[in-house]
Amino acid sequence: MKNINQIGLTWISFFSYAFTGALIVVTGMIMGDIANYFNLSISQMSNIFTFLNAGILVSILLNSWLINIISLKKQLIYGFILSIISILGIIFSKNILLFSINIFILGLVSGITMSIGTFIITILYSGSKRGSQLLLTDSFFSMSGMIFPIIAAYLLENKFLWYWIYVCIGIIYFIIFILSVSLHFPESKEKFKYTEKIKKWNFNIIVLSISALLYILGQLSFISWVPQYATEIMNINIKKTGNLVSDFWMAYMIGMWCFSFVIKFFNLKRIFVFLSGISAILMYVYIHSSMYLIMKYLIISLGFFSSAIYTIIITLASLQTKKPSAQLINIILFFGTIGTLLTFIVTSPIVDDKGLYATLICSNILYSIVFILSLLILINSKNKIYFKE
């Protein structure tokens, strides 16, 4: 029974990332339809979706304290109720203010759920198994990134209104709800309340937090502007451009699966250095390539080798304390979400002022800085203790 319960809790973690991934990825697919529905421009609509990312950011910050007040099971049950309310609100909302409020609530729910999912994995697994399971968990984000655009395209092609995609996404949380009700969560005072106070931010925590922010900002800045760069600068047709982005996420997901096994046999700090270094090199070569076939292989390689970086950052941070700390994990998730929130805020002015090429170069610089920070982590490890269970 214990193994069945652990497997069920692990699947809650998987679906928590799938839920957040679906919410974020489908935005680009349905933004035009939503803009037409509310008689707004695309740029105005894109600003409205900042509420989704803001909700995720706020919830991850708050969950460090919520976890000590409300049990994980109750949080997930309340999250299901809020998701139903917000999805119904999206369906029946006739003005953009109500839509903004409901999309913000969905962001809150997804951020709290993803935070819980990450913390469950750090509690259930230790050492190399923890990193392996976190990679598998993160792969469900990418899996949603592949599946839900297809679902959205099917619904739109068959004349369904755009809000039905949110109903489909809600099915994921329904599964989380069913699992939550039927499974046993360890009591907070027994396990999940192992949230040691972080009396001082040691060097590694600071560097890992900055790495999380810069990595996510660099990744999303790169992949968000690759389509425009390919069509406008490289004169590649739209179908091939779409294939480049699809290939990146496919390789990203496969990379997570592979590294979930590989990292068991390597030192996490060294593999962090290797992956961040080779990713920075691959991105540089991609930006300076002119042949489509070479670009295709390079972006596949980039997706594969960069897939484990963020999860390794989270894993290394979780090993900074003897017992898993929800606050510490949420710090990394919080900085990573700031990177997501800053993507267009930082890159749009660069595109307007310097152009697409300069924007991709900035992404490459961010990856290079992450590589330098990984070296600092490795060098500093001689003086810092990583707790291995």
Side-chain angles (χ1 to χ4, degrees), residues 96-386:
I96 196 63
L97 177 61
L98 286 175
F99 177 84
S100 302
I101 293 170
N102 287 304
I103 207 72
F104 177 77
I105 293 172
L106 273 182
L108 285 173
V109 171
S110 66
I112 288 173
T113 308
M114 186 173 67
S115 178
I116 290 171
T118 306
F119 190 50
I120 286 175
I121 293 296
T122 62
I123 287 292
L124 295 179
Y125 302 94
S126 60
S128 61
K129 283 187 178 180
R130 181 184 297 172
S132 174
Q133 288 297 323
L134 281 171
L135 276 170
L136 286 175
T137 303
D138 203 8
S139 74
F140 276 75
F141 187 103
S142 300
M143 194 178 297
S144 281
M146 293 172 54
I147 294 172
F148 276 89
I150 296 172
I151 295 174
Y154 174 83
L155 292 174
L156 295 176
E157 285 173 2
N158 288 275
K159 309 303 180 184
F160 286 87
L161 288 176
W162 54 267
Y163 52 67
W164 281 102
I165 187 62
Y166 287 106
V167 176
C168 294
I169 294 172
I171 294 172
I172 299 177
Y173 214 103
F174 177 69
I175 297 172
I176 293 174
F177 170 73
I178 295 298
L179 288 171
S180 300
V181 171
S182 59
L183 293 171
H184 169 71
F185 288 76
E187 293 295 329
S188 296
K189 61 183 179 181
E190 292 175 0
K191 275 198 169 185
F192 286 96
K193 208 169 181 179
Y194 280 159
T195 52
E196 294 181 356
K197 291 183 179 179
I198 304 169
K199 295 180 180 179
K200 60 179 181 179
W201 282 44
N202 69 36
F203 178 81
N204 286 352
I205 294 174
I206 295 172
V207 172
L208 288 167
S209 300
I210 297 171
S211 298
L213 191 157
L214 296 183
Y215 169 73
I216 294 297
L217 178 58
Q219 181 202 69
L220 294 182
S221 298
F222 175 79
I223 204 64
S224 296
W225 294 108
V226 155
Q228 284 76 15
Y229 177 79
T231 53
E232 296 179 21
I233 307 299
M234 306 306 298
N235 296 316
I236 298 172
N237 67 52
I238 192 65
K239 184 178 180 180
K240 288 184 176 180
T241 299
N243 288 338
L244 287 175
V245 177
S246 178
D247 289 341
F248 175 86
W249 287 114
M250 174 69 79
Y252 200 88
M253 184 179 67
I254 293 172
M256 286 178 175
W257 291 343
C258 291
F259 284 111
S260 68
F261 297 101
V262 171
I263 64 171
K264 295 177 182 178
F265 308 103
F266 293 92
N267 179 284
L268 282 177
K269 297 180 287 294
R270 289 193 175 92
I271 200 168
F272 181 28
V273 172
F274 170 74
L275 294 179
S276 57
I278 196 169
S279 295
I281 293 170
L282 287 168
M283 185 179 287
Y284 177 85
V285 177
Y286 175 89
I287 295 170
H288 293 86
S289 298
S290 57
M291 293 179 61
Y292 173 77
L293 192 60
I294 294 175
M295 293 172 72
K296 182 180 178 70
Y297 289 134
L298 285 169
I299 204 165
I300 288 172
S301 300
L302 177 61
F304 181 84
F305 284 105
S306 65
S307 62
I309 293 175
Y310 188 54
T311 307
I312 288 174
I313 291 172
I314 294 173
T315 306
L316 286 173
S318 74
L319 295 172
Q320 295 296 313
T321 53
K322 290 181 179 179
K323 299 171 184 177
S325 167
Q327 283 92 343
L328 188 51
I329 293 164
N330 280 321
I331 284 169
I332 303 300
L333 293 175
F334 178 74
F335 275 86
T337 309
I338 289 176
T340 302
L341 195 66
L342 290 176
T343 300
F344 291 107
I345 295 173
V346 170
T347 59
S348 293
I350 298 174
V351 171
D352 292 337
D353 188 44
K354 300 295 183 180
L356 292 165
Y357 174 78
T359 305
L360 296 190
I361 289 294
C362 288
S363 299
N364 195 199
I365 291 171
L366 292 174
Y367 265 48
S368 301
I369 295 172
V370 173
F371 169 66
I372 294 170
L373 294 177
S374 71
L375 286 173
L376 292 178
I377 289 286
L378 183 62
I379 294 169
N380 189 59
S381 63
K382 293 180 180 179
N383 302 319
K384 298 291 179 181
I385 299 173
Y386 284 83

